[in-house]
Amino acid sequence: MTVNLEVAEGVGTLRLDRPPMNALDVATQDRLKELAEEATRREDVRAVVIYGGEKVFAAGADIKEMQAMDHTAMVLRARGLQDAFTAVARIPKPVVAAVTGYALGGGCELALCADYRIAGENAKLGQPEILLGLIPGAGGTQRLPRLIGPSKAKDLIFTGRMVKADEALALGLVDRVVPAGEVYEQAHAWAARLAQGPALALRAAKEAVDAGLETDIDTGLTVERNWFAGLFATEDRERGMRSFVEEGPGKAKFH
């Protein structure tokens, strides 16, 4: 399989496995969607790591496959491409991308679908589609400017240039840079910590932030208010408040 879902101790790792560069062909896109939906459903998956291995995250689409597609073929495929990435973005649990080596084109767009990005010192990210006479088609023109701002996103998209880990960190494209050999370990630790948290509250927090970014502030505040009040009906809220009163902050065990 080109993508696998490995689950241990509440953390699901979506592992790209299509050597040598994890090129995201149609079969890999469809498999990614299938496993993202599985991670969404499974109660034993409480947080997710997206990982491409020690050498490369994903170097982009399968250009040879795309070259053989005409306009009609891509009209029929483009929605499936976006749907695969949207399935990852909509996993209602904390998601971290563990980025080593190249994360280009679709690889960069996949990292953008995570809530948090940890990159190795050897990471190189970019949206080089313009160099093929194209634009990003898996969310890059939408998620990248929402993350780093429109002018910085346009610079990357217009030029197609790659940025190394330090510049990616300065741009806000990644959130932490670590030695290449520690990328997965640190990403897994981030996910494992959140896997111990209150699952419904984390889901609420993610949905409130994401929904709020797509709408006006009054609508966003309504989403927040409804989730905030709704969480008062949960066992985790009772457990968390009881622990705070009896033991002090930060000691609650949620499962």
Side-chain angles (χ1 to χ4, degrees):
M1 292 293 185
T2 56
V3 188
N4 299 295
L5 176 61
E6 303 156 1
V7 182
E9 299 178 350
V11 176
T13 298
L14 281 171
R15 172 72 156 85
L16 303 175
D17 188 16
R18 188 170 184 249
M21 301 300 286
N22 289 334
L24 299 165
D25 65 345
V26 168
T28 302
Q29 296 163 25
D30 290 344
R31 179 67 174 162
L32 183 64
K33 180 176 186 289
E34 176 187 337
L35 291 180
E37 291 172 347
E38 180 181 334
T40 293
R41 293 191 304 270
R42 287 179 57 167
E43 293 185 6
D44 61 334
V45 176
R46 298 173 66 95
V48 174
V49 179
I50 309 171
Y51 183 51
E54 296 178 356
K55 295 182 179 180
V56 62
F57 185 70
D62 188 320
I63 304 303
K64 290 182 179 179
E65 182 182 66
M66 287 178 59
Q67 185 182 18
M69 300 174 76
D70 60 11
H71 172 255
T72 300
M74 188 49 76
V75 166
L76 296 173
R77 180 59 209 170
R79 175 59 66 89
L81 168 65
Q82 289 189 346
D83 285 351
F85 285 65
T86 297
V88 176
R90 291 185 178 169
I91 294 172
K93 302 164 186 182
V95 178
V96 56
V99 181
T100 56
Y102 292 113
L104 302 176
C108 187
E109 289 169 305
L110 181 57
L112 292 173
C113 293
D115 303 305
Y116 195 77
R117 282 153 290 279
I118 297 176
E121 293 171 341
N122 66 340
K124 294 181 179 179
L125 300 92
Q127 299 288 169
E129 289 88 350
I130 204 78
L131 305 178
L132 300 173
L134 294 170
I135 66 171
T141 67
Q142 302 304 305
R143 293 190 178 97
L144 186 59
R146 282 169 168 79
L147 182 66
I148 67 174
S151 61
K152 293 175 183 176
K154 286 174 182 176
D155 173 54
L156 295 183
I157 293 168
F158 290 177
T159 65
R161 69 186 182 92
M162 290 188 294
V163 296
K164 295 181 180 179
D166 56 348
E167 185 178 358
L169 182 64
L171 287 170
L173 180 52
V174 301
D175 302 291
R176 193 190 310 170
V177 176
V178 303
E182 298 178 15
V183 171
Y184 181 74
E185 177 186 353
Q186 295 219 24
H188 192 277
W190 185 91
R193 177 171 177 256
L194 293 173
Q196 299 301 312
L200 192 58
L202 286 165
R203 178 180 186 139
K206 180 166 181 172
E207 183 171 314
V209 171
D210 289 351
L213 287 171
E214 304 305 318
T215 188
D216 62 275
I217 191 167
D218 287 338
T219 303
L221 287 167
T222 298
V223 173
E224 178 186 86
R225 181 172 67 249
N226 289 338
W227 265 116
F228 176 71
L231 289 168
F232 274 74
T234 67
E235 183 180 334
D236 280 343
R237 192 278 307 185
E238 294 178 11
R239 182 180 290 115
M241 287 192 163
R242 182 171 61 249
S243 174
F244 181 94
V245 170
E246 295 176 358
E247 304 172 290
K251 295 183 173 62
K253 306 291 185 185
F254 289 103
H255 68 93

